[in-house]
Amino acid sequence: MVDTEATISLADLGERRIYDEVIEPRYRDVPSFGDDCADFGHGLVVTTDSCPTPLLERIGERDLYYSGWLLATINLSDLAAAGALPEGLVVNYTLPSETSVGDLKRIIEGVDACAKFHGTRVLGGDIRDGKVRQLSATAIGRTLPRNFMRGRWSSGKLSRRGARAKDALILVGNPGYLWGAALVSRGHADVPVDVRLQILERARRPVAQLKAARLLARHGLAKAAIDVSDGLFAAVRLLAAANGLGAVMEPEIELDDVLKDVCEKSGVSSLQLGQNWGDWCLLVAVGHRQAAYALRALRKRNLSARRVGTLTSDPEKLLVRSENGPMAWQGIDQERFTARSWQGDGIDAHISWMKEQSQAVGRT
Amino acid sequence: MVDTEATISLADLGERRIYDEVIEPRYRDVPSFGDDCADFGHGLVVTTDSCPTPLLERIGERDLYYSGWLLATINLSDLAAAGALPEGLVVNYTLPSETSVGDLKRIIEGVDACAKFHGTRVLGGDIRDGKVRQLSATAIGRTLPRNFMRGRWSSGKLSRRGARAKDALILVGNPGYLWGAALVSRGHADVPVDVRLQILERARRPVAQLKAARLLARHGLAKAAIDVSDGLFAAVRLLAAANGLGAVMEPEIELDDVLKDVCEKSGVSSLQLGQNWGDWCLLVAVGHRQAAYALRALRKRNLSARRVGTLTSDPEKLLVRSENGPMAWQGIDQERFTARSWQGDGIDAHISWMKEQSQAVGRT
């Protein structure tokens, strides 16, 4: 049988080839192609994302408030990657008709609470009935005007492009909480009840890094940015590739104290825990001379950030420092539409993988 | 057992009570609440809609190009209801991984072709894998600035509000093609092959009434507008209710000649065929003195339009003229989340209903 487009499935191709062979040829002339946000000109940026089945549901969370919160976060996080200020959200809910009114209210409350937390709100939407619950949203934002700062013009809008070799990779946000919650709930780290609740609480309410992104953009410190929607490895790979660069990562990621404890007790290294997805951190490339200043500026405003690596001039080479010199980074390498797509039915397999990798690279 | 929100389902409430009891109390302070588009201020309007399973698929259409075309149409049609010029679309596709590459390409081609037809394009989006195909999109538009015309200020943006008793209800577009195609394909009207193909072709490519809406808005002729997404009855009901009015409909709707033939052969009246959904017509309220002028202005630009009724000062009373005086209008009254939600598995039942109603009201 001859392979034609009718007989090749999306699973046969996988996300990257779908992107390279179907999407890119058609849309490459769109100015913002490949960025987290579409550029509508005049400072207007737009992004749309659906909410995946939250990992939290799979570890016992029944309150759809947190699905709503997540839906708003993943869309606002894309605006953060553009350094934009949110103008509002529109939502699109498909719900089975057997959904309870209480569940619908909780979704709405979660979306609204997250939007309010970031100083924005839902301005429109659509609800319809369907066989499967599907929550999607669109966020609209406005980027900063160009700004003369520290001796040069900042571009206002952030994108994946603009980074150079030797730039520092700074991870903004609080990584590790979602999978920290998974480790704790699956009994891999015996922590006190209050710590457990604290971790769960943070995992339930991931925060889009809008404040930090705008701070870095306004000061002309961020040269390129991408949000960590599929894990740090994918974010670094895409950011590096967009600039024809490679990267060397640090063997450890600075985590909050409660998570250090989880790492120690579970035998998972800080790199393995911190590189996960689900915490909606922002990865930013900052000139190596400005890195320390950027970190101080963020911390002064209580915005958590740490340096996680350095961009290099070796295209596509992703390494991690180790005691024996740089080695290949075996990061979390999901690919939608393939068996490597995270569908959430492999929590224990992923935990085992994190533990194995922690033996191979990095230290707790 | 006590009914709590956890035990009441969305099906128990139905779309209207969901809207009145859950959505409205929460979002009533949003300025554009209830309109087809969300008002983001400064002339920016945003709308988001998912693509239902097209009726065409159920009568044998296998080409997903037309699902893509429909997805763009339903979103652009909301912009038409605001009298806006499209600035671009973002798309959000959830597809089962067994979807063929050819099908994905056809969806994309259909969306892009429809966008291009209206002078706009897709500027961003997201594709992910999921159990059920779900196509949604968001359209962003810009409304006209306020304009001094014909002795008064036009508001620029159109909404459901602004109509008065005695205003003419003008239906813009080409109603009846989608259900005309259903009648023909199910053998209810024996028409020549070329007519059949012509009807199918129009049903496949419904056109959002952007041009007509902007023409009417620019000339200050449209006082209120709504797109016909769930049939003419729902559109008239919502437009009338938004203005505290009722309506009297004409017993006939002017259809294109090929559809008149279908009506005659199938025994379905022009009102019953023309009041259907799926053709993405626009319903506009026009001052009764300007109605004839508006119709001429539209026709001069080859934009199809006809007067279908008149708004009255009797709130919520929806009547249809007949030889024996006005009688209650038994329109197509769908309600999402209930058994009256159109899920497309009742094509023959709906055809029977149209035929029965044609006996009761109106003439072919």
Side-chain angles (χ1 to χ4, degrees):
Chain A
M1 198 167 89
V2 181
D3 268 6
T4 69
E5 283 177 352
T7 61
I8 304 172
S9 75
L10 299 182
D12 294 332
L13 275 197
E15 185 182 11
R16 283 171 222 160
R17 284 185 61 198
I18 294 169
Y19 191 88
D20 292 345
E21 296 173 24
V22 182
I23 310 296
E24 202 272 343
R26 178 162 277 266
Y27 293 116
R28 72 181 119 207
D29 63 322
V30 171
S32 52
F33 180 78
D35 277 329
D36 292 298
C37 285
D39 188 348
F40 274 63
H42 312 290
L44 195 68
V45 288
V46 180
T47 180
T48 182
D49 257 321
S50 310
C51 188
T53 305
L55 176 68
L56 281 176
E57 268 185 40
R58 315 220 178 226
I59 58 173
E61 180 61 62
R62 289 279 164 269
D63 189 345
L64 293 186
Y65 179 94
Y66 303 110
S67 294
W69 181 284
L70 179 62
L71 176 66
T73 298
I74 61 179
N75 280 282
L76 294 172
S77 180
D78 282 334
L79 293 188
L85 187 72
E87 296 264 308
L89 294 156
V90 292
V91 294
N92 202 319
Y93 305 149
T94 300
L95 297 168
S97 57
E98 62 269 22
T99 306
S100 78
V101 174
D103 277 349
L104 170 60
K105 283 195 174 174
R106 288 302 281 165
I107 293 169
I108 292 174
E109 284 163 8
V111 171
D112 286 351
C114 180
K116 193 175 176 185
F117 179 85
H118 291 285
T120 188
R121 64 175 174 161
V122 170
L123 289 172
D126 188 49
I127 302 185
R128 62 181 67 214
D129 43 344
K131 284 185 192 130
V132 173
R133 188 173 84 221
Q134 175 97 14
L135 309 178
S136 73
T138 300
I140 284 112
R142 216 164 273 281
T143 53
L144 291 166
R146 277 165 58 83
N147 188 21
F148 195 75
M149 195 97 192
R150 299 169 64 82
R152 61 192 189 86
W153 283 96
S154 71
S155 76
K157 179 177 184 291
L158 298 181
S159 80
R160 292 184 186 184
R161 284 166 296 275
R164 289 204 183 172
K166 293 192 186 163
D167 283 354
L169 288 171
I170 289 181
L171 184 65
V172 183
N174 301 82
Y177 278 102
L178 183 62
W179 279 92
L183 284 170
V184 168
S185 78
R186 292 288 167 121
H188 293 273
D190 186 23
V191 295
V193 171
D194 62 321
V195 171
R196 183 195 177 108
L197 288 177
Q198 197 185 329
I199 292 171
L200 187 61
E201 204 42 41
R202 295 294 290 268
R204 281 167 161 169
R205 288 193 182 85
V207 173
Q209 296 302 317
L210 287 160
K211 263 192 198 169
R214 286 177 60 80
L215 176 74
L216 295 175
R218 199 168 56 236
H219 287 76
L221 290 166
K223 293 165 81 173
I226 184 172
D227 79 330
V228 182
S229 46
D230 294 315
L232 189 58
F233 183 82
V236 171
R237 183 170 55 74
L238 290 169
L239 187 79
N243 296 285
L245 301 172
V248 181
M249 305 301 289
E250 300 299 318
E252 295 183 33
I253 293 179
E254 191 191 291
L255 302 176
D256 291 352
D257 287 343
V258 285
L259 294 177
K260 286 180 190 160
D261 195 26
V262 170
C263 283
E264 206 162 299
K265 285 179 169 153
S266 63
V268 170
S269 75
S270 64
L271 174 63
Q272 296 311 325
L273 186 59
Q275 71 153 306
N276 274 294
W277 67 96
D279 301 298
W280 303 95
C281 294
L282 189 72
L283 181 71
V284 186
V286 176
H288 70 286
R289 288 192 190 151
Q290 274 127 30
Y293 175 80
L295 288 173
R296 275 200 309 277
L298 290 167
R299 285 173 187 157
K300 217 164 90 184
R301 285 158 186 86
N302 283 318
L303 296 162
S304 180
R306 77 286 299 149
R307 183 171 181 157
V308 291
T310 307
L311 289 167
T312 67
S313 52
D314 280 347
E316 294 180 33
K317 218 166 200 174
L318 303 185
L319 306 172
V320 57
R321 278 208 299 123
S322 81
E323 284 160 0
N324 310 318
M327 51 188 287
W329 182 15
Q330 306 292 340
I332 299 167
D333 196 13
Q334 302 187 71
E335 186 171 5
R336 291 178 192 168
F337 291 102
T338 70
R340 293 206 308 281
S341 173
W342 172 255
Q343 295 287 358
D345 31 33
I347 295 177
D348 295 312
H350 184 61
I351 289 174
S352 302
W353 183 89
M354 284 197 284
K355 287 186 175 188
E356 277 164 38
Q357 290 292 318
S358 299
Q359 302 300 318
V361 201
R363 294 143 294 187
T364 57
Chain B
M1 199 168 87
V2 181
D3 267 5
T4 69
E5 284 178 352
T7 61
I8 304 172
S9 75
L10 298 182
D12 294 332
L13 274 197
E15 184 183 12
R16 281 170 224 162
R17 283 185 62 198
I18 293 169
Y19 191 88
D20 291 346
E21 296 173 23
V22 182
I23 311 296
E24 204 271 344
R26 176 162 282 264
Y27 294 115
R28 74 181 118 206
D29 63 323
V30 171
S32 52
F33 180 78
D35 277 328
D36 292 296
C37 285
D39 188 348
F40 273 64
H42 313 289
L44 195 70
V45 288
V46 180
T47 180
T48 183
D49 256 321
S50 311
C51 188
T53 304
L55 176 68
L56 281 177
E57 268 185 41
R58 316 217 178 229
I59 58 174
E61 180 61 62
R62 289 279 164 269
D63 190 344
L64 293 186
Y65 179 95
Y66 303 110
S67 293
W69 181 283
L70 179 62
L71 177 65
T73 298
I74 60 179
N75 280 282
L76 293 171
S77 180
D78 282 333
L79 293 188
L85 187 72
E87 296 264 308
L89 294 155
V90 293
V91 294
N92 202 319
Y93 304 149
T94 300
L95 297 167
S97 56
E98 62 269 22
T99 306
S100 78
V101 174
D103 276 350
L104 170 60
K105 283 194 175 174
R106 289 303 282 166
I107 293 169
I108 291 174
E109 283 162 10
V111 171
D112 285 351
C114 181
K116 192 176 177 184
F117 179 85
H118 291 285
T120 187
R121 62 175 176 161
V122 170
L123 289 172
D126 188 49
I127 302 185
R128 63 180 66 214
D129 43 344
K131 283 185 193 131
V132 174
R133 187 172 85 223
Q134 175 96 14
L135 308 178
S136 73
T138 300
I140 284 113
R142 214 165 274 282
T143 54
L144 291 165
R146 277 166 57 86
N147 188 20
F148 194 75
M149 195 97 194
R150 301 169 62 80
R152 60 190 188 87
W153 283 95
S154 72
S155 76
K157 179 177 184 292
L158 298 180
S159 79
R160 294 185 186 182
R161 284 166 297 275
R164 289 204 184 172
K166 294 191 186 165
D167 284 353
L169 288 172
I170 289 181
L171 185 64
V172 182
N174 301 81
Y177 277 102
L178 182 63
W179 278 91
L183 285 171
V184 168
S185 78
R186 292 288 168 121
H188 293 274
D190 185 24
V191 294
V193 171
D194 62 320
V195 171
R196 184 197 176 107
L197 287 176
Q198 198 185 329
I199 291 170
L200 188 60
E201 203 43 41
R202 295 294 290 268
R204 282 167 160 169
R205 289 194 180 84
V207 173
Q209 296 301 318
L210 287 160
K211 264 192 198 168
R214 285 177 61 79
L215 176 75
L216 295 174
R218 200 168 54 236
H219 288 75
L221 291 165
K223 293 165 82 172
I226 183 172
D227 79 331
V228 182
S229 46
D230 293 315
L232 189 58
F233 183 84
V236 171
R237 184 171 53 75
L238 290 169
L239 187 79
N243 296 284
L245 301 171
V248 181
M249 305 302 290
E250 300 299 320
E252 296 183 32
I253 292 179
E254 190 193 290
L255 302 177
D256 292 352
D257 286 345
V258 286
L259 293 177
K260 285 180 191 160
D261 196 26
V262 171
C263 282
E264 207 162 297
K265 285 178 170 153
S266 63
V268 170
S269 75
S270 63
L271 174 62
Q272 295 312 324
L273 186 59
Q275 72 153 306
N276 274 295
W277 67 97
D279 301 299
W280 302 94
C281 294
L282 188 71
L283 181 72
V284 186
V286 176
H288 70 286
R289 288 192 191 151
Q290 274 126 30
Y293 175 79
L295 288 173
R296 276 200 307 278
L298 290 167
R299 285 172 188 159
K300 217 164 89 181
R301 286 159 186 84
N302 284 319
L303 295 163
S304 178
R306 77 285 300 146
R307 183 173 182 157
V308 291
T310 307
L311 288 167
T312 67
S313 52
D314 280 348
E316 295 179 32
K317 219 168 201 174
L318 303 185
L319 306 172
V320 58
R321 277 208 300 123
S322 81
E323 284 159 1
N324 310 316
M327 52 188 289
W329 181 14
Q330 306 292 338
I332 300 168
D333 197 14
Q334 303 188 70
E335 186 173 5
R336 291 177 192 168
F337 292 102
T338 70
R340 293 204 309 279
S341 173
W342 172 256
Q343 296 287 354
D345 30 34
I347 295 177
D348 295 311
H350 184 61
I351 289 174
S352 303
W353 183 89
M354 284 196 286
K355 289 186 174 188
E356 278 163 37
Q357 289 293 317
S358 299
Q359 302 301 319
V361 200
R363 294 142 296 187
T364 56

